[in-house]
Amino acid sequence: MGGPPAGEEKIVVMRAIGGEVGSAASLAPKLGPLGLSPKKVGEDIKKATMDWKGLSVTVKLVVVNRQATVSVIPSASSLVMKALNEPVRDRKKVKHVVHDGNITLDQVIDVARVMRERSMARELSGTVKEILGTCVSIGCSVNGENPRTLQQQITDGELEIPEE
């Protein structure tokens, strides 16, 4: 068989845990037809996601001429968790962690700027409200208060969000 024709670009998108080698069994069905070694690609994913240790991130593999290049596409929840600066936990031992930390509105706006191109909102304030919704679901507070109250203040025009 031998994989796709030379020069053709194939893209594989998958979820991975940062800083861990995904099991070769889960990688094999996606990478086998492309003629790649799941073990080697697992090592590449581990190297690329080291600064997202313990967090679930989306990984994009671009395969050209049987060479895979790994890039990380962080989700909103991963970016918020990273902003919380929590200590790395052992996923096998510690389950059901409550993320009750506190982040600043500036950090939320920075996360919104990263997520801007993937957001459906027309303006940055809409993207900020999306990230605040993610904060609600994670369970953290923003500027010491509930993210829902900040969302309401943005909607009412009491809280100003910069344009870009």
Side-chain angles (χ1 to χ4, degrees), residues 122-145:
R122 269 182 279 162
E123 289 152 10
L124 184 65
S125 59
T127 312
V128 169
K129 283 162 69 173
E130 287 178 11
I131 303 302
L132 286 169
T134 306
C135 292
V136 171
S137 64
I138 287 175
C140 66
S141 56
V142 179
N143 284 354
E145 51 188 307

Side-chain angles (χ1 to χ4, degrees), residues 16-71:
I17 307 300
E20 292 183 17
V21 180
S23 67
S26 65
L27 294 172
K30 298 175 187 81
L31 302 175
L34 301 174
L36 293 169
S37 155
K39 192 171 182 193
K40 184 175 162 294
V41 173
E43 292 292 331
D44 292 346
I45 291 173
K46 179 183 176 183
K47 276 193 210 104
T49 59
M50 275 319 266
D51 48 343
W52 298 93
K53 205 162 176 58
L55 298 175
S56 186
V57 289
T58 308
V59 176
K60 179 179 174 185
L61 299 170
V62 179
V63 182
V64 181
N65 295 339
R66 295 184 62 189
Q67 286 295 309
T69 49
V70 182
S71 59

Side-chain angles (χ1 to χ4, degrees), residues 3-4 14-15 21 23 32 36 40 56-57 65 82 84 99 112-113 118 134 138-139 149 151 156 160:
M14 53 194 284
R15 296 285 281 173
V21 180
S23 67
L36 293 169
K40 184 175 162 294
S56 186
V57 289
N65 295 339
K82 201 171 183 186
L84 280 169
H99 306 284
R113 286 198 175 106
R118 289 192 287 151
T134 306
I138 287 175
T149 57
Q151 280 179 322
D156 297 342
E160 279 296 313

